[in-house]
Amino acid sequence: MKLLEGRNAIVTGSAQGIGLAIASVLARHGASVVVSDINAEGARLAAADLKAQGHQAISVPCDVTDEHAVDALVDTCRETFGTVDVMVNNAGITRDATMAKMTLESFRTVVDVHLTGAWLGTRAAGRAMRTQGRGSIVNISSISGKVGNFGQTNYSAAKAGIVGLTKAAARELAKYDVRVNAIQPGLIRTAMTAAMPPEVLARMVADIPLGRIGEPEDIAKAVLFLSSDLSGFITGTVTEVAGGRNM
Ligand code: NAP
């Protein structure tokens, strides 16, 4: 028996990177998946690839900062597959700069995509799930929201905000058997980390007790656990997937 057989999942920002790994792992474990991204063509290709592997998948373009688009995303999942059982708020961007150089616009943009986006996704999925009397919402925060990274006052603030959002929403939705949890990835092998100078990356990896960089699948497997009935008594938590770095 697959862990998510008969369940339907939405993953925002899943045309690439960690979101794509999450969509793939959830699909491999039986979920029908809505691949959603601001990059419509990337989402279409990712969903087509999942379908070619024998999974159920559709793509829905969506900018997570657009209230109506996020509501429509949840409606499309329900209309296509019947229910919304899993919502993963993963879409993200970075606009790094020290505070001395950061513009108000770049602060607002990052907070809007991560925090407002996760709030809109949690609200829309929460509405559908409370009617169903079942559901799991997973919000992708970051270790940056725990420790605060140099040059990331916008990103760290947004990712810490996601922790508060997750806990408050978990309290509101618990009586409907809807669980809300957050994951804080550490250093993960994605396009972002591939662009780092090798010596900087090596220094960071040396600081990871488990001695390696994380893979997108490491995050996806934690999402799978929090999405499935294996975590049925877990809500309002923050799971660090960082190889022990910044524990
Ligand atoms: P990524 O490769 O840049 O993927 C993020 C996806 O989100 C992209 O396809 C991006 O599209 C999309 N997106 C951007 N703005 C959007 C919006 N307004 N609405 C919908 N989709 C949007 O990033 P990643 O490294 O996989 O990160 C995924 C999540 O994990 C993010 O929340 C990130 O903060 C978090 N995280 C990552 C790491 C890491 O080491 N990579 C560590 C901690 C936390 P475009 O490419 O077209 O912008």
Side-chain angles (χ1 to χ4, degrees):
M1 176 70 177
K2 292 176 173 171
L3 286 173
L4 296 178
E5 197 73 63
R7 308 279 171 94
N8 308 310
I10 301 170
V11 186
T12 68
S14 54
Q16 64 180 53
I18 291 171
L20 178 57
I22 295 169
S24 305
V25 166
L26 299 189
R28 280 211 299 278
H29 285 268
S32 298
V33 176
V34 179
V35 177
S36 180
D37 205 285
I38 198 166
N39 172 0
E41 179 60 6
R44 190 187 67 74
L45 291 172
D49 196 38
L50 288 177
K51 274 161 72 177
Q53 294 169 44
H55 306 306
Q56 290 265 26
I58 59 165
S59 69
V60 177
C62 173
D63 176 347
V64 296
T65 66
D66 178 337
E67 176 178 16
H68 302 296
V70 174
D71 288 348
L73 170 64
V74 169
D75 288 345
T76 303
C77 179
R78 227 187 31 238
E79 285 156 15
T80 310
F81 296 128
T83 55
V84 182
D85 304 296
V86 177
M87 177 76 181
V88 186
N89 293 303
N90 164 81
I93 56 166
T94 48
R95 296 284 185 274
D96 295 357
T98 59
M99 253 200 304
K101 293 188 182 144
M102 188 179 289
T103 61
L104 176 59
E105 188 198 0
S106 100
F107 179 84
R108 283 190 171 141
T109 302
V110 168
V111 170
D112 208 25
V113 172
H114 289 277
L115 186 53
T116 312
W119 183 80
L120 286 171
T122 301
R123 186 181 67 163
R127 270 192 207 124
M129 289 173 177
R130 53 191 279 178
T131 312
Q132 296 164 192
R134 180 177 85 176
S136 171
I137 299 170
V138 183
N139 293 324
I140 306 301
S141 170
S142 168
I143 285 289
S144 181
K146 176 187 178 187
V147 301
N149 281 349
F150 185 93
Q152 291 195 321
T153 49
N154 49 4
Y155 184 80
S156 298
K159 290 305 201 185
I162 284 178
V163 172
L165 157 67
T166 297
K167 293 183 183 210
R171 285 185 195 280
E172 290 189 14
L173 293 170
K175 59 175 172 291
Y176 306 104
D177 209 12
V178 175
R179 301 180 296 104
V180 191
N181 292 286
I183 289 175
Q184 291 189 324
L187 189 66
I188 306 298
R189 194 193 310 274
T190 59
M192 197 175 77
T193 45
M196 286 179 176
E199 63 282 6
V200 174
L201 195 61
R203 260 202 314 275
M204 292 171 87
V205 172
D207 208 27
I208 300 174
L210 283 179
R212 67 170 175 89
I213 190 169
E215 302 295 338
E217 283 231 350
D218 288 313
I219 307 304
K221 286 187 256 184
V223 173
L224 172 66
F225 170 70
L226 290 171
S227 303
S228 78
D229 294 343
L230 290 180
S231 59
F233 199 49
I234 298 177
T235 196
T237 66
V238 181
T239 300
E240 293 179 23
V241 185
R245 188 161 181 246
N246 299 122
M247 69 175 80

